[in-house]
């Protein structure tokens, strides 16, 4: 059974703190993604990575950075958390090529910044 | 041009009804159109997907209808059940890595028993 796991289901952080969200996939997928999900806005892509140490900005990268040192692990970093980064964060992975571009999602991390 | 519009925002039907969710896109480079289903507390999961070379695809009780000229596609759920109550997202994608994956804002479906 394919699996994407995220390090925390719920996090509460203070404004200005550095926040690390970790994601691990066990499917040997090349591609990994970080989205944030907000009501009425759907899922918006923050960053994606198509290979180890490779990263590309998505639609809303401001205030975020990422790290991919190993194929199975993709980390999202909030350098200095702000209240407008309170959201649900979803990690996903997918394989390159084939007939489907299915993205497999983790359960999400609900981050609250106070 | 990257936006995917989705309607309605929420939908309530009786058990056995046929809810229909509609999506529209502008970017003609999109070549993969999936629907994702999300239950509370879970991440989205792929439900069904279509490519623009076909006009309809069925998987069980779920059907995608695709109108390439109108740049619209829709999800129909036949004989809906309370267990289908979830949030549904349409999406459109292009790119070798699927990196240009644009999601609609979602439709919250409630199926009453």
């Amino acid at each position: 059974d394919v699996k994407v796991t995220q390090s925390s289901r719920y996090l509460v952080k203070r404004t200005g703190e550095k926040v690390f969200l970790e994601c691990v996939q066990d499917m040997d997928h090349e591609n990994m993604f970080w989205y944030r999900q907000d009501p009425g806005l759907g899922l918006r892509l923050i960053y994606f990575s198509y290979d180890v140490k490779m990263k590309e900005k998505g639609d809303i990268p401001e205030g975020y950075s990422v790290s991919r040192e190993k194929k199975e692990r993709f980390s999202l970093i909030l350098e200095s958390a702000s209240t407008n980064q309170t959201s649900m964060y979803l990690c996903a992975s997918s394989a390159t090529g084939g007939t489907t571009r299915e993205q497999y999602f983790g359960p999400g991390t609900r981050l609250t910044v106070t | 041009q990257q936006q995917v519009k989705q309607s309605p925002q929420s939908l309530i039907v009786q058990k056995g009804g046929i809810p229909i969710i509609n999506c529209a896109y502008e970017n003609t480079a999109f070549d993969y159109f999936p629907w994702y289903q999300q239950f509370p507390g879970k991440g989205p999961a792929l439900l069904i997907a279509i490519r623009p070379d076909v006009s309809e695809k069925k998987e069980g009780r779920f059907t995608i209808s695709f109108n390439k000229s109108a740049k619209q596609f829709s999800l129909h759920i036949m004989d809906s059940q309370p267990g289908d109550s979830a949030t549904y997202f349409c999406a459109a994608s292009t790119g070798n890595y699927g990196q240009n994956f644009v999601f609609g804002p979602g439709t919250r479906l409630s199926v009453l028993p």
Side-chain angles (χ1 to χ4, degrees):
Chain A
D1 195 20
V2 299
K3 210 162 188 179
V4 178
T5 56
Q6 295 183 229
S7 52
S8 305
R9 294 301 303 272
Y10 301 94
L11 268 182
V12 180
K13 296 292 182 181
R14 294 195 180 277
T15 301
E17 280 193 88
K18 191 168 186 175
V19 182
F20 292 87
L21 303 182
E22 295 212 318
C23 174
V24 178
Q25 51 98 0
D26 66 358
M27 296 164 281
D28 201 35
H29 283 166
E30 296 84 3
N31 310 312
M32 295 189 75
F33 307 82
W34 275 107
Y35 293 91
R36 65 177 281 176
Q37 180 178 12
D38 299 290
L41 296 178
L43 282 70
R44 293 179 292 166
L45 182 64
I46 304 171
Y47 268 97
F48 80 95
S49 168
Y50 55 90
D51 201 351
V52 175
K53 297 191 186 293
M54 306 304 289
K55 60 185 179 185
E56 294 284 344
K57 292 180 180 179
D59 299 319
I60 51 166
E62 296 79 17
Y64 304 95
S65 62
V66 291
S67 172
R68 193 169 180 200
E69 296 295 319
K70 292 185 177 182
K71 189 175 185 180
E72 67 272 16
R73 191 179 297 269
F74 192 35
S75 301
L76 180 69
I77 304 153
L78 287 66
E79 296 289 343
S80 178
S82 64
T83 54
N84 62 12
Q85 293 179 309
T86 291
S87 186
M88 172 69 83
Y89 290 87
L90 290 163
C91 175
S93 71
S94 71
T96 296
T99 57
T100 176
R101 295 186 196 138
E102 180 175 0
Q103 293 191 8
Y104 295 84
F105 284 86
T109 296
R110 185 164 293 281
L111 173 66
T112 302
V113 182
T114 62
Chain B
Q1 203 180 19
Q2 283 289 86
Q3 201 177 12
V4 174
K5 296 180 180 178
Q6 182 174 348
S7 62
Q9 190 173 358
S10 64
L11 189 53
I12 300 173
V13 300
Q14 294 287 337
K15 178 183 173 183
I18 306 175
I20 301 172
I21 306 170
N22 299 298
C23 286
Y25 63 98
E26 289 295 324
N27 187 351
T28 55
F30 287 138
D31 60 357
Y32 176 71
F33 301 88
W35 285 89
Y36 279 78
Q37 180 187 53
Q38 184 180 29
F39 294 106
K42 304 280 188 181
L46 179 66
L47 187 63
I48 185 174
I50 197 168
R51 292 200 182 259
D53 52 347
V54 298
S55 59
E56 186 176 276
K57 183 174 181 180
K58 276 186 187 178
E59 285 187 6
R61 296 184 293 107
F62 300 92
T63 299
I64 300 179
S65 297
F66 188 84
N67 185 329
K68 189 175 181 179
S69 60
K71 292 184 281 186
Q72 295 175 348
F73 58 111
S74 59
L75 176 70
H76 301 232
I77 306 176
M78 308 302 288
D79 188 27
S80 58
Q81 301 296 314
D84 297 329
S85 297
T87 300
Y88 292 82
F89 295 95
C90 62
S93 167
T94 186
N96 292 332
Y97 310 110
Q99 66 271 32
N100 293 330
F101 227 97
V102 181
F103 286 85
T107 296
R108 180 174 284 187
L109 172 67
S110 296
V111 181
L112 303 179

